[in-house]
Amino acid sequence: MTTTGADHATALTGPWWWSRWRSAVLDVGLALVSALECAAEGIPFARDAGIPLSAGIVFGLLAGSVLVLRRKWPIAVVLVAIAITPAQMGFLMGIVGLYTLAAAELPRRIIVALAGMSLLGTMIVTFVRVKQDMARGDLTLGDWFVPFAAVTTSLGLTAPPVLLGLYVGARRRLMESLRERADSLERELQLLAERAEERAEWARGEERTRIAREMHDVVAHRVSLMVVHAAALQAVARKDPEKAVRNAALVGDMGRQALTELREMLGVLRSGEAAQRRTAPASASASVPLAAVGVAAAAAASRVAEEEGPWLSELEVLIGQSAAAGMVVDLSVEGAVRSYTALIEQTAFRVVQEALTNVHKHAAGAKTHVRLAHRVAEIAMQVENEPPPEPASAASAGLPSGGNGLVGMRERVLGLGGVFVSGPTDAGGFRVSAVIPAA
């Protein structure tokens, strides 16, 4: 992007009040020419006024050199030019001073007043001078020529510099406005880019959390059941071969289901990334933002959830799997069973699933009560387990805990505007409760 404002700021490198050295050289040159002009015009002025020629020349030099201040004090330059108009000197200073005055950012009433004073002074001086020339016989034209010469001369010395100065000043202000607008637009674009980067970083974090939660919910439950069945298989392998065969079959089924769900999740991520590559332009294909891939993956995951569930109707299968692993689970459903949106049913299912997984990890063998209530405007679920019969049973099963289960459940429920509560019971067990709005 451009750096218009920075370039404009660094351009102010001239001496004193000049913005550039070129402007200073121009003003000094004009002041030198004006001083020489006024010095030359001071000779006839000294003769007419009856003063020494040297005084007239010095006066002209000092008066003409005032033009060097035109950018700093244009009003003073114009006033000096008006003041020396009766001496018939300072024509260059008057023209350049009026131009600078009109181009400066001054109130229009001041410009009009000073331009009117200059016009009137030039008109009077020209009228008197032409009248004197005609009286001496230098001009033999009619009386009409005196006012005509006065008006045309005054207009010619006043109107062109004022109009040109107004035009240049308006154009300069327009360019300044465009420059400021470009600087403002550049700052806004930079701010938007920073905000976009912040939003992209936030989106990347959100998608990482979502992916981690999905992976945890998909894999943790079945792997936990596999570990429990494997421990039971090890315990009954020699005593009850038939039960050992059934447990081995269950472990195989759980492993295949876990691999299938894991493969589906990875396929969703790859399909989202591939879709992002197809929709991205060729020039940007080398660097696809992770946030865009995450959004595509989230959309694909939502489509998979809508098409494949899990659904609340599969709770009995879920509870049957836990019962097959040796857990005593009691399911009770209140209210009229009805369907909800895919996201609500998926969240409710995952809450029950993760709660049962925690029972397998931390209270193996404990009796568990699962309650599901269909209400008018919400759906409520509660998973409560009694104290485990053997406190060391969880440790003997070797089930690690990453501490993400309750966090994931809370994030899911709160994301839908629901209420999530978990904690130990007075009887020594643990209770997980959640309420999700039906809409």
Side-chain angles (χ1 to χ4, degrees), residues 39-342:
E41 294 168 345
I43 296 175
F45 167 72
R47 291 173 181 171
D48 296 339
I51 60 176
L53 294 179
S54 59
I57 295 174
V58 172
F59 175 75
L61 289 173
L62 293 177
S65 61
V66 176
L67 188 58
V68 76
L69 304 174
R70 71 183 187 96
R71 296 181 192 267
K72 184 68 173 178
W73 295 298
I75 297 178
V77 173
V78 174
L79 289 176
V80 171
I82 295 173
I84 64 176
T85 299
Q88 298 183 9
M89 63 174 61
F91 295 103
L92 177 62
M93 183 168 61
I95 293 173
V96 177
L98 288 174
Y99 163 79
T100 307
L101 178 71
E105 295 183 2
L106 294 173
R108 290 297 176 86
R109 62 180 182 273
I110 296 178
I111 298 175
V112 171
L114 292 178
M117 291 172 59
S118 178
L119 176 67
L120 183 62
T122 305
M123 185 182 300
I124 294 173
V125 170
T126 304
F127 184 89
V128 174
R129 181 62 180 269
V130 174
K131 190 73 173 178
Q132 291 175 352
D133 291 342
M134 293 187 68
R136 288 196 303 264
D138 296 340
L139 295 175
T140 58
L141 299 175
D143 294 338
W144 61 269
F145 183 74
V146 177
F148 174 77
V151 172
T152 55
T153 301
S154 59
L155 287 176
L157 294 177
T158 305
V162 171
L163 295 177
L164 181 61
L166 291 176
Y167 167 75
V168 172
R171 184 175 180 273
R172 183 184 302 157
R173 286 187 288 273
L174 176 61
M175 295 301 296
E176 289 292 333
S177 175
L178 293 177
R179 184 182 293 110
E180 292 177 358
R181 194 170 300 176
D183 293 342
S184 176
L185 180 60
E186 181 182 355
R187 288 191 296 268
E188 290 180 1
L189 290 176
Q190 185 176 1
L191 181 61
L192 289 176
E194 293 175 357
R195 290 181 178 176
E197 182 63 26
E198 293 176 359
R199 288 195 297 268
E201 185 63 29
W202 175 83
R204 285 193 287 267
E206 288 293 319
E207 290 310 314
R208 291 191 188 100
T209 303
R210 177 189 176 93
I211 292 171
R213 185 169 60 241
E214 291 291 336
M215 297 291 287
H216 178 273
D217 291 344
V218 166
V219 178
H221 178 72
R222 300 198 184 281
V223 172
S224 299
L225 292 179
M226 290 171 60
V227 174
V228 172
H229 281 296
L233 176 62
Q234 184 180 6
V236 302
R238 295 181 180 179
K239 298 179 181 179
D240 193 348
E242 293 183 0
K243 188 175 181 181
V245 171
R246 290 195 299 272
N247 286 339
L250 288 175
V251 170
D253 292 339
M254 293 294 176
R256 281 187 292 271
Q257 293 175 4
L259 287 176
T260 300
E261 293 183 358
L262 180 60
R263 189 179 296 111
E264 290 176 355
M265 180 60 62
L266 295 178
V268 165
L269 296 178
R270 291 194 184 98
S271 65
E273 185 176 357
Q276 179 65 24
R277 287 201 187 101
R278 286 194 299 269
T279 56
S283 58
S285 60
S287 57
V288 179
L290 179 59
V293 177
V295 172
S302 300
R303 290 195 300 271
V304 171
E306 292 177 359
E307 296 174 359
E308 302 183 5
W311 308 101
L312 287 175
S313 58
E314 302 175 12
L315 275 182
E316 294 183 359
V317 178
L318 178 67
I319 292 174
Q321 293 174 351
S322 297
M327 178 189 296
V328 180
V329 186
D330 178 22
L331 172 64
S332 61
V333 180
E334 301 176 2
V337 178
R338 67 180 189 273
S339 61
Y340 303 90
T341 63

Side-chain angles (χ1 to χ4, degrees), residues 15 18-30 70-71:
W18 286 285
S19 61
R20 292 174 296 183
W21 278 97
R22 184 175 63 183
S23 301
V25 172
L26 176 62
D27 288 356
V28 171
L30 289 174
R70 71 183 187 96
R71 296 181 192 267

